Amino acid sequence: MGQAQKQKIMKKLILTIALILQALTICFAHDGHNEKEDSTQHASAETAQNQHGVSGDGHDHDALVENHHEGQHNKITASWDDFPSLHPLVVHFPIVLLLLAVLFQLAQLFVFKKELSWVTLILLILGFIGAYIAGRYVHPHTHGLTERAAQILEEHDLYADYTVWLSGIGVLLKIASHFILNRKIWAELIVAIVLVGAAYSVAMAAHHGAQLVHIEGVGPQGKYLETEGHGH
């Protein structure tokens, strides 16, 4: 295969990866347009009864938020301690890293280069570490959730656990393929299958997480969160 043909293939792969990333962004965008109107009405009807144990129209919580804002002295850039949870600041890294890892792994099935395998391995390891930290150390406690929000949270946590397990297994398989099996095509295919599962899990965990925040109202300004600590 000539150099010009290899460059042509690489350009096609880069274009394909860009299109896949764009499609994933559209599919898992945090808009929730189909359910937003009904779910927002449902959440707002139950917010007063479930938020911090406050009845009525939530004025007590609003007063707490206002006092907190006054204590920030009009800071433009918040410090880490100002956030009710560090989970949103951490969780986006494994989402991006694991999605990139599976794309690079799929590319390796067509472009069999050791350098590309190294990039995939590094992305995968970082994605696994990020997923583990996001799920184990900075995942906030919740309280007073509506029944619907509790069910969504359960699904979110389930897919998050799948993500940690599948990405961890993917790291082990990738290490074995890269260092022991010399990147045999059947070994790389097994790794790709596992990483596709990890990418699906992290995308579904992100979808349910966005649903909790943007539709059910869990998290903004500390609503429904135990804010004494940042994590478990």
Side-chain angles (χ1 to χ4, degrees), residues 78-134:
S79 65
W80 282 32
D81 291 336
D82 295 330
F83 290 91
S85 170
L86 297 181
H87 186 74
L89 303 180
V90 175
V91 74
H92 294 89
F93 289 100
I95 294 174
V96 173
L97 292 170
L98 291 177
L99 291 178
L100 286 176
V102 69
L103 291 176
F104 275 93
Q105 180 63 28
L106 292 174
Q108 284 183 118
L109 301 178
F110 303 95
V111 181
F112 210 62
K113 288 184 174 292
K114 190 172 184 179
E115 294 81 5
L116 197 58
S117 182
W118 269 111
V119 172
T120 305
L121 179 58
I122 292 172
L123 289 171
L124 183 54
I125 291 175
L126 293 177
F128 166 72
I129 293 174
Y132 188 84
I133 292 174

Side-chain angles (χ1 to χ4, degrees), residues 121-160:
L121 179 58
I122 292 172
L123 289 171
L124 183 54
I125 291 175
L126 293 177
F128 166 72
I129 293 174
Y132 188 84
I133 292 174
R136 297 297 186 272
Y137 292 105
V138 294
H139 196 297
H141 287 295
T142 59
H143 69 93
L145 296 179
T146 64
E147 182 179 355
R148 174 184 171 85
Q151 292 174 348
I152 297 171
L153 177 61
E154 185 176 353
E155 288 293 304
H156 170 74
D157 289 344
L158 179 64
Y159 281 110

Side-chain angles (χ1 to χ4, degrees), residues 146-191:
T146 64
E147 182 179 355
R148 174 184 171 85
Q151 292 174 348
I152 297 171
L153 177 61
E154 185 176 353
E155 288 293 304
H156 170 74
D157 289 344
L158 179 64
Y159 281 110
D161 287 339
Y162 287 160
T163 299
V164 172
W165 279 103
L166 288 172
S167 59
I169 293 171
V171 168
L172 296 178
L173 292 176
K174 184 61 180 176
I175 290 175
S177 175
H178 185 90
F179 294 103
I180 300 174
L181 301 175
N182 196 27
R183 297 174 292 117
K184 295 185 182 299
I185 187 64
W186 61 267
E188 290 296 297
L189 182 59
I190 292 175
V191 174

Side-chain angles (χ1 to χ4, degrees), residues 38-104:
D38 293 339
S39 300
T40 302
Q41 292 175 354
H42 176 80
S44 61
E46 295 184 347
T47 297
Q49 284 75 25
N50 293 278
Q51 181 179 298
H52 296 292
V54 178
S55 60
D57 56 3
H59 288 306
D60 289 347
H61 175 75
D62 293 340
L64 290 173
V65 171
E66 185 178 353
N67 291 336
H68 175 75
H69 287 171
E70 290 177 356
Q72 302 309 311
H73 302 293
N74 296 322
K75 290 190 300 183
I76 299 301
T77 302
S79 65
W80 282 32
D81 291 336
D82 295 330
F83 290 91
S85 170
L86 297 181
H87 186 74
L89 303 180
V90 175
V91 74
H92 294 89
F93 289 100
I95 294 174
V96 173
L97 292 170
L98 291 177
L99 291 178
L100 286 176
V102 69
L103 291 176
F104 275 93

